[in-house]
Amino acid sequence: MSALPRSGRGRMPGSSDPREAHMADVDLAHHGDAEVGVGLVDLAVNVRREPPPQWLTGPIAAALGRLGHYPDQGPARAAVARRHARPTNEVLLTAGAAEGFVLLARGLGDLVRPVVVHPQFTEPEQALRNAGRRVHRVLLDPGDGFALHPERVPEDADLVVVGNPTNPTSTLHPAAAIAALARPGRVLVVDEAFADSAYRPGCLAEPESLASRRDLPGLVVVRSLTKTWGLAGLRIGYLLGPPDLLARLAAAQPLWPVSTPALAAARACASEQAVAAERAIARRLAADRDHLARRLAELPQVHVSGQPSSAFVLIRTPGARRIRLALRDRGFAVRRGDTFPGLGADWLRLAVRDTAITDAFIDALADSIDEGADRAG
């Protein structure tokens, strides 16, 4: 991949943005599972907690009888390709979406100026840094709901990574805004790990998804099957993109990278039954998310970021670190926000749960906030 002319456009580390002051100490390796503990209600991890359906667990269990054979990716790869209306050579199965970020960092050895749009999932930047890349950051603005402005991304970026919907902001960017980042000579990576959680009334498909777009140069879409279906321990995801680019990434994979049970899950989750079930889950999730946002709005010290569109909500509240620890004392684990570049100590991410859990959590949050006010008084 040829390098493009350098340009000074876009906000980079070392600029006057006050949010960058803490970035040298950001722990990119911190994830929500570190917040969870025995006896705590988990609002820190964005994995759906309901048991997987039998049409999914059945094939996974049946696959255990084939563990004496090497994994055969063919049927699962074909099923994923059919789901997204692509040929099979535009699908690369991975051991979770996280492996996809590692393959991109290691497999694209000629990167000159990789750019990560933040705040977002930290694993893409971590993988690039582990591969020896110097990563440039473009920070989105909380003042406009972390909206994506394509013109702020440097023209000479040869790799751009952006999430949609974005973790942790829960922002759903317009597909047109993301598509505007594509151009020859650039790899555009769109992290759609939570695309199946987005819902829009009247829209039968995943809103703003680029998973079926084949006309954009250098587009790679990263997908995960672990969130909605509660399969984080199984490790299954995939990349969608141009065959020549995916072939370069596949060359960086070990032999048989995806297990037979994970392949069974991928095949089941690509079925028409699974897609219909995802849309129903996303619709229910939207109602639970709206309930959470309404209850949070009752607390004057809490600001909900933008228009949440995924399985989590990002909030800003003074003294968030103290509040997070007080919530643990009251039985709730939430995700700290200060390990995401572009955020800071006053941010928390909350996973969307059912209305009963939300109501109990709001009571605990209100008490935690009041406790801090009493101490300050």
Side-chain angles (χ1 to χ4, degrees):
M1 183 169 55
S2 61
L4 298 172
R6 288 190 176 273
S7 165
R9 296 176 63 189
R11 181 176 285 156
M12 293 291 114
S15 77
S16 59
D17 192 322
R19 291 176 292 158
E20 294 181 356
H22 78 288
M23 284 190 182
D25 299 323
V26 167
D27 180 7
L28 297 175
H30 183 86
H31 297 295
D33 57 347
E35 312 279 359
V36 181
V38 176
L40 296 179
V41 178
D42 178 12
L43 275 69
V45 177
N46 296 326
V47 175
R48 185 167 166 263
R49 293 307 183 195
E50 288 77 2
Q54 196 283 330
W55 56 258
L56 176 53
T57 56
I60 294 173
L64 299 179
R66 302 193 298 276
L67 296 185
H69 303 276
Y70 286 100
D72 177 10
Q73 289 197 10
R77 194 178 180 198
V80 171
R82 283 193 301 271
R83 171 178 180 175
H84 296 293
R86 289 175 173 266
T88 55
N89 62 356
E90 294 183 1
V91 176
L92 180 63
L93 300 175
T94 59
E99 190 202 11
F101 299 126
V102 173
L103 295 177
L104 286 158
R106 295 178 178 176
L108 303 179
D110 49 359
L111 293 176
V112 175
R113 189 166 189 172
V115 170
V116 179
V117 179
H118 282 292
Q120 75 154 305
F121 184 47
T122 56
E123 195 63 32
E125 178 169 331
Q126 178 81 341
L128 287 163
R129 292 188 180 278
N130 287 344
R133 313 295 182 194
R134 180 178 183 271
V135 178
H136 302 262
R137 293 170 176 166
V138 171
L139 302 182
L140 303 183
D141 186 356
D144 63 0
F146 298 102
L148 176 64
H149 301 278
E151 69 277 6
R152 297 182 184 174
V153 174
E155 277 297 326
D156 63 344
D158 50 5
L159 174 76
V160 177
V161 185
V162 61
N164 205 38
T166 303
N167 173 20
T169 65
S170 202
T171 301
L172 183 64
H173 302 298
I178 294 181
L181 292 170
R183 55 196 29 61
R186 170 185 291 176
V187 177
L188 172 60
V189 180
V190 184
D191 177 7
E192 291 194 0
F194 292 97
D196 59 3
S197 69
Y199 171 76
R200 181 175 295 153
C203 179
L204 299 179
E206 298 167 343
E208 312 302 339
S209 173
L210 296 179
S212 296
R213 290 285 297 270
R214 305 179 61 220
D215 58 315
L216 298 174
L219 173 65
V220 176
V221 176
V222 182
R223 303 280 297 205
S224 171
L225 298 176
T226 65
K227 315 301 184 184
T228 291
W229 299 117
L231 300 177
L234 196 59
R235 310 311 306 141
I236 178 64
Y238 52 90
L239 307 183
L240 305 169
D244 57 341
L245 179 54
L246 294 191
R248 292 175 64 185
L249 303 182
Q253 277 187 310
L255 295 175
W256 307 290
V258 182
S259 71
T260 296
L263 292 172
R267 188 176 182 183
C269 290
S271 67
E272 292 183 2
Q273 181 180 17
V275 173
E278 282 177 356
R279 292 297 82 214
I281 291 170
R283 184 171 61 251
R284 294 194 298 271
L285 176 67
D288 288 338
R289 183 176 59 242
D290 289 346
H291 180 77
L292 174 59
R294 285 194 300 270
R295 292 302 316 274
L296 289 168
E298 297 172 4
L299 305 177
Q301 302 93 331
V302 174
H303 169 73
V304 176
S305 173
Q307 181 63 47
S309 299
S310 191
F312 42 89
V313 171
L314 182 67
I315 65 171
R316 191 172 197 172
T317 184
R321 181 183 183 279
R322 179 195 56 75
I323 291 170
R324 177 172 59 86
L325 297 177
L327 283 168
R328 293 182 70 85
D329 292 339
R330 290 172 169 83
F332 290 90
V334 298
R335 173 65 158 90
R336 58 190 284 196
D338 60 345
T339 64
F340 292 100
L343 299 183
D346 288 341
W347 296 89
L348 297 172
R349 191 193 68 193
L350 316 173
V352 176
R353 304 299 187 210
D354 63 45
T355 57
I357 291 177
T358 288
D359 289 341
F361 168 73
I362 293 296
D363 290 342
L365 178 58
D367 289 344
S368 298
I369 292 172
D370 290 345
E371 176 185 284
D374 291 342
R375 289 180 179 177

